[in-house]
Amino acid sequence: MSGVPSRSNGIGVERLALGAALAISLALVWFATRQVAAVAGFAGGLVALGTIAWSMARPRPQEREIEYALPDWSVTIAAIDRPDSAIAIIDRAGRLTCANPRYEEWFGAGHAPPRLPVDIASLERLAKAGRSAWRDGKGAADLVEGPTGRWKAQVLRAGRGDDYLVWTLTPLSLPDPVADLVPHLDGKLGRALAQAGITAAIVDPDGKIRATSAGFALRATGDPAALLTGQEFISLLRQDEADKITWARDGKKGAPLTMFYLPVADPDAPGSPDYDTTPSLMLIADHGVGLGGGASEATAAVPHLEALLGQLPLGLAMADRDGRLLFANPAFMRAAQREGEPPPIYPTDLVVQEDKGPLSDAIRRFAQGPASSGDIAVRLRGQPEEPVSLSLAGVRGLGEAAVLLGLTDTSEETRLKRQVAQATKMQAVGQLAGGVAHDFNNVLTAILGTCDLMLLRHTPGDSDYDDIQQIRANSNRAASLTRQLLAFSRQQTLRPEVLQLPDVVSDVSHLLRRLIGEKIQLIVTHDRDLGPVRADPTQLEQVIVNLAVNARDAMQERMERSGGEGGGKLTLATKRITAADVRAMPGGIMPQADYTALIVKDTGTGIAPDHLAKIFEPFFTTKETGKGTGLGLSTVYGIVKQSGGFIFADSEQGRGTTFSVYFPVHHASAEEIAGRTVKAEAAASWSGGGRVLLVEDEDMVRAVAERALTRAGYTVTTASDGDEGLERVEEGGEFDIVVSDVVMPAMDGPTMAREIRKRAPDMPVLFMSGYAEEQLRKEIDIADVHFLPKPFSVQQISDKVGAVLAAVQR
């Protein structure tokens, strides 16, 4: 140590050298300047420089670097070796760095998560979980499904630089309600059921027994310890000609049994159970045996019974003697409009206030005395308009449970009842509308006929001519209203013609341009090679106008919502629909044939989905009070259906609505073409004149018709009802034709016509009516009769009588 200078000695020598150098420097400055201030400033600068140099040159304590050992993956593998989970570690590049044996067994070492051999949906969930882990530090996938199983995955970000992901995949166990139920058959539940006279067995779909209660084995074989697994279930029972079921070992004299069948399926599994692969719980009870037995055993069995009832599709609940609800299965809560909610304390909490007292009294009544059952009608709080039937049955031997309540989900039944009620209401309103229109048509016939007769005495330019024309025009408007009522009730008299649909659209398009306004664009397109249709052109025009007016209102409402900006587009199109096109349509509503379609499409507000099914109902409207009658679309529906067509509506809120009307293509037969030619020639060749028996109960209509026919050269004999008309014939009156109303007091027109035909079989009959010709032909069932729809003009009745007589003369 003596030969090595110490660090302290070296520091002392350095300090002496520095001091000598400083003193010499100061002496030189003094000799050069002879000023004290200069010497002091020079000294201060040297001191400052020396301090800085010393602070930079002084030795610092050495920092010790932390050294990490290289990773030993064998230790990691040992740490993650878990038999119940697959664990894998990947790096930033997605390479599999490490995995435990369970991962290699389930997925293979050639697959690194998230790219595992699973289905596409699971791959997407795994990829999303991986992105979440890299971003947030953790991620998860609730369901991963592959050909070998189902798992849930958890991902954690790890490592010094967060450069690794640790994937953990844990298998999901599938629920097995059968495995859960089997131990209970040999437990307290099985013994409690046996004491009540009920035995139980679980049977596989192939009819083989999987498990039985001891009571079942005792009754079937006489040995409660008998092993019946694998035996045929039906081999232990017998059934006679009267369908009475008994134990096979008891022979023909065995006591009758009652058997209940229940599929044992997971109630939480999606979809309906597959009965071809689902085992069944078979409950066999002695016929007429009540539920009894020891209270202690039954009380202990109640939880197991609740587990069993919870799987039933029937709504069942149990209440105690004080009316408290002990249990309610999911089906019961669903039927009570409380699906997903916990059962209430009292069953009376499920019903409206008015039914709480009667239900509480019924529960107490069935909880006391001998076991009995019955039903009570209650109104649920979630469905107060529709009463439902609640079944109650007194039970004994199940501990606190005293009353079993049953409630069935009747939502579908309620919907069907409402549809039937709506259909009945529609029929009643339709009959009322038809009756009103029929009576109104009589009044309009008198008004129009009187106007026609007055116009014959006045020429244009007379002071009264314009007034009469105005009365006639308003009467025609009223007649169109009656046609709407009859169209709604499907009782209007159609005047069908064979026509081309584009011709009707072209005729009405000029009116539509004025109706829809300038801001709405009207586009009309037609297909080629359209087939002819047979329909009433006036009624078709009404269909187009009603649909266009509804479309205009919808588009104007949309423009108002947007502050008046923009416009609308109404498209009328006719299309050719072949039988092949009909076959490709979903639903199969229309018969497979050729159709000519009318498409009415708008760019309005659209129709809400809950309103779309009601738009063809009468008086249904979404417009403000006073702005809609609710008869427009119902009238359209009636006209289309009576013409043999179909109408459908498709709508998307905010985009618009499309109505598609399909009319069958009319194929005229040779007989029909020949018949039209003969009728036209006969009507042209008739010179007029003839004896007419006019039967009409309405005085105004009878007077107008009599004057019109008399003016046309006919000899008219009148009668006010069917009895009087028949008397005219019986008195020897000779007539060429009978013109009669259909509905009259006392004897109606068809009855009178039948009686007249007995005396004059070839007598032509012309019925006047405001009802539909097709409907009258079905109800009257008289051959060779003719119809004149009301209201009619003077010219129309004269021409019709002439055409009938001309056809008879030929």
Side-chain angles (χ1 to χ4, degrees):
M1 295 295 294
S2 59
V4 180
S6 66
R7 183 176 180 83
S8 59
N9 292 337
I11 293 175
V13 173
E14 292 175 356
R15 288 177 180 175
L16 290 176
L18 287 173
L22 179 58
I24 294 172
S25 299
L26 290 175
L28 292 174
V29 172
W30 168 257
F31 285 118
T33 62
R34 298 291 182 177
Q35 293 181 2
V36 177
V39 175
F42 180 74
L46 289 177
V47 172
L49 290 174
T51 303
I52 294 172
W54 177 80
S55 63
M56 294 178 64
R58 70 184 181 92
R60 298 178 180 273
Q62 294 183 354
E63 295 181 359
R64 183 176 180 181
E65 296 184 358
I66 301 176
E67 296 181 357
Y68 294 94
L70 293 175
D72 188 350
W73 292 114
S74 62
V75 177
T76 306
I77 294 175
I80 64 176
D81 187 9
R82 292 171 50 184
D84 58 340
S85 300
I87 302 177
I89 302 174
I90 65 171
D91 58 14
R92 281 279 182 183
R95 295 170 298 194
L96 184 62
T97 305
C98 179
N100 68 352
R102 187 65 67 192
Y103 179 90
E104 297 180 10
E105 176 185 348
W106 289 346
F107 305 107
H111 298 90
R115 298 179 297 276
L116 298 179
V118 294
D119 58 29
I120 296 177
S122 299
L123 285 174
E124 293 177 355
R125 287 190 286 267
L126 288 171
K128 183 178 179 181
R131 290 192 298 268
S132 299
W134 284 122
R135 181 184 65 249
D136 304 326
K138 61 181 179 179
D142 294 332
L143 177 62
V144 179
E145 291 186 291
T148 59
R150 302 163 73 240
W151 302 268
K152 63 178 180 180
Q154 291 183 335
V155 197
L156 292 176
R157 190 178 62 202
R160 291 192 297 271
D162 290 335
D163 291 333
Y164 296 93
L165 289 184
V166 180
W167 290 79
T168 304
L169 293 100
T170 306
L172 292 174
S173 58
L174 295 174
D176 187 358
V178 176
D180 296 338
L181 187 59
V182 167
H184 297 304
L185 292 184
D186 273 333
K188 294 182 179 180
L189 174 61
R191 293 195 299 271
L193 291 175
Q195 290 181 359
I198 302 174
T199 62
I202 296 178
V203 182
D204 285 328
D206 59 359
K208 302 291 183 61
I209 295 175
R210 180 182 295 193
T212 65
S213 65
F216 184 96
L218 176 63
R219 297 295 303 274
T221 64
D223 181 8
L227 184 61
L228 301 178
T229 302
Q231 292 193 27
E232 291 285 345
F233 175 76
I234 59 174
S235 66
L236 303 176
L237 302 170
R238 69 180 303 275
Q239 185 176 9
D240 60 14
E241 296 79 4
D243 292 335
K244 184 180 74 171
I245 300 175
T246 59
W247 293 107
R249 65 187 295 266
D250 293 340
K252 296 182 179 180
K253 297 182 180 180
L257 305 173
T258 302
M259 185 166 60
F260 301 92
Y261 158 80
L262 172 66
V264 185
D266 180 14
D268 299 324
S272 302
D274 185 359
Y275 296 105
D276 294 333
T277 60
T278 303
S280 304
L281 174 63
M282 312 299 293
L283 299 177
I284 301 177
D286 293 334
H287 187 69
V289 174
L291 294 176
S296 60
E297 289 287 343
T299 302
V302 167
H304 305 290
L305 185 59
E306 291 179 1
L308 179 63
L309 296 180
Q311 300 183 23
L312 287 172
L314 304 176
L316 297 174
M318 292 187 293
D320 62 11
R321 291 173 176 80
D322 296 327
R324 287 189 296 268
L325 202 60
L326 300 176
F327 164 77
N329 67 358
F332 185 90
M333 298 303 297
R334 181 168 55 252
Q337 309 295 320
R338 298 286 191 89
E339 186 173 8
E341 300 181 15
I345 299 177
Y346 295 96
T348 53
D349 295 337
L350 301 173
V351 301
V352 298
Q353 184 66 34
E354 296 80 1
D355 294 343
K356 289 181 179 292
L359 178 57
S360 179
D361 295 339
I363 292 176
R364 284 196 296 268
R365 184 171 64 254
F366 283 100
Q368 300 171 1
S372 60
S373 61
D375 298 323
I376 181 175
V378 295
R379 290 164 296 174
L380 300 172
R381 292 178 60 183
Q383 188 180 323
E385 316 85 27
E386 299 289 340
V388 297
S389 178
L390 180 66
S391 302
L392 300 97
V395 295
R396 305 296 180 262
L398 292 180
E400 294 181 353
V403 180
L404 180 67
L405 297 92
L407 186 63
T408 304
D409 186 3
T410 59
S411 55
E412 183 65 19
E413 181 182 355
T414 301
R415 185 182 65 82
L416 293 176
K417 286 182 178 178
R418 288 177 178 172
Q419 289 182 350
V420 172
Q422 178 67 15
T424 305
K425 181 177 70 174
M426 289 268 293
Q427 182 180 7
V429 175
Q431 291 176 349
L432 174 63
V436 171
H438 177 266
D439 294 339
F440 198 41
N441 274 333
N442 285 332
V443 178
L444 292 175
T445 301
I447 296 175
L448 288 170
T450 303
C451 288
D452 290 341
L453 293 172
M454 292 178 67
L455 288 173
L456 294 175
R457 300 193 302 270
H458 294 77
T459 58
D462 290 350
S463 59
D464 296 333
Y465 185 85
D466 292 338
D467 296 335
I468 297 172
Q469 286 284 24
Q470 187 65 34
I471 295 173
R472 194 175 189 278
N474 289 330
S475 298
N476 284 324
R477 288 185 59 193
S480 68
L481 291 176
T482 61
R483 284 195 295 270
Q484 286 193 33
L485 286 174
L486 289 170
F488 151 66
S489 60
R490 303 187 205 174
Q491 297 176 0
Q492 82 273 39
T493 300
L494 298 180
R495 298 176 176 87
E497 302 175 7
V498 178
L499 48 84
Q500 285 289 342
L501 204 53
D503 296 339
V504 180
V505 175
S506 299
D507 292 341
V508 79
S509 59
H510 302 290
L511 172 63
L512 294 182
R513 295 185 191 278
R514 294 194 299 269
L515 282 176
I516 63 178
E518 298 178 354
K519 292 187 177 181
I520 299 176
Q521 181 184 4
L522 178 63
I523 301 175
V524 181
T525 61
H526 302 293
D527 272 0
R528 294 182 178 180
D529 301 327
L530 294 175
V533 300
R534 188 173 185 271
D536 187 334
T538 304
Q539 300 291 350
L540 280 186
E541 290 179 359
Q542 184 176 349
V543 167
I544 297 172
V545 169
N546 285 8
L547 293 177
V549 168
N550 278 356
R552 177 202 64 187
D553 295 342
M555 288 185 284
Q556 286 180 348
E557 181 181 352
R558 183 175 183 180
M559 286 186 285
E560 290 174 0
R561 293 180 181 178
S562 61
E565 299 179 358
K569 183 186 296 183
L570 175 62
T571 303
L572 296 181
T574 54
K575 293 186 177 181
R576 179 172 176 262
I577 307 298
T578 64
D581 297 330
V582 176
R583 283 194 296 270
M585 292 181 180
I589 298 176
M590 299 193 305
Q592 294 183 13
D594 294 334
Y595 293 87
T596 298
L598 170 66
I599 311 298
V600 181
K601 183 177 181 180
D602 64 65
T603 56
T605 56
I607 304 173
D610 55 335
H611 291 164
L612 196 59
K614 305 177 182 178
I615 57 175
F616 295 118
E617 295 181 5
F619 311 115
F620 176 80
T621 179
T622 57
K623 300 178 182 178
E624 299 178 7
T625 304
K627 291 189 177 181
T629 63
L631 286 176
L633 288 178
S634 62
T635 299
V636 168
Y637 184 81
I639 293 173
V640 172
K641 297 303 290 183
Q642 196 170 7
S643 301
F646 300 87
I647 182 170
F648 304 98
D650 298 297
S651 184
E652 183 178 353
Q653 283 191 284
R655 301 292 297 275
T657 303
T658 301
F659 284 93
S660 303
V661 186
Y662 298 89
F663 293 101
V665 173
H666 179 71
H667 302 283
S669 61
E671 294 79 3
E672 184 180 351
I673 297 174
R676 288 202 296 264
T677 305
V678 170
K679 288 181 180 180
E681 293 176 352
S685 64
W686 182 250
S687 59
R691 295 163 296 182
V692 179
L693 174 59
L694 177 62
V695 186
E696 171 63 58
D697 61 318
E698 289 286 343
D699 296 336
M700 298 178 295
V701 178
R702 187 172 65 251
V704 168
E706 181 184 4
R707 292 178 61 184
L709 294 174
T710 301
R711 183 182 174 280
Y714 297 99
T715 302
V716 182
T717 301
T718 62
S720 60
D721 55 37
D723 292 329
E724 187 177 348
L726 184 59
E727 288 177 5
R728 297 284 188 272
V729 176
E730 291 176 343
E731 290 172 355
E734 296 182 358
F735 304 100
D736 298 315
I737 186 173
V738 176
V739 181
S740 172
D741 191 11
V742 176
V743 180
M744 294 183 292
M747 183 181 291
D748 59 17
T751 304
M752 179 197 68
R754 293 188 186 95
E755 294 298 325
I756 293 177
R757 285 279 179 88
K758 292 179 181 179
R759 296 164 176 79
D762 298 330
M763 178 68 70
V765 178
L766 173 62
F767 283 123
M768 306 175 293
S769 177
Y771 290 110
E773 178 179 338
E774 293 81 2
Q775 179 186 359
L776 289 176
R777 287 192 182 277
K778 293 178 182 178
E779 295 178 357
I780 293 174
D781 193 21
I782 301 177
D784 299 328
V785 294
H786 306 271
F787 290 89
L788 176 63
K790 293 180 180 179
F792 51 77
S793 65
V794 169
Q795 188 66 37
Q796 285 174 337
I797 187 173
S798 302
D799 292 344
K800 187 65 176 179
V801 171
V804 173
L805 289 175
V808 173
Q809 291 297 326
R810 292 179 65 88

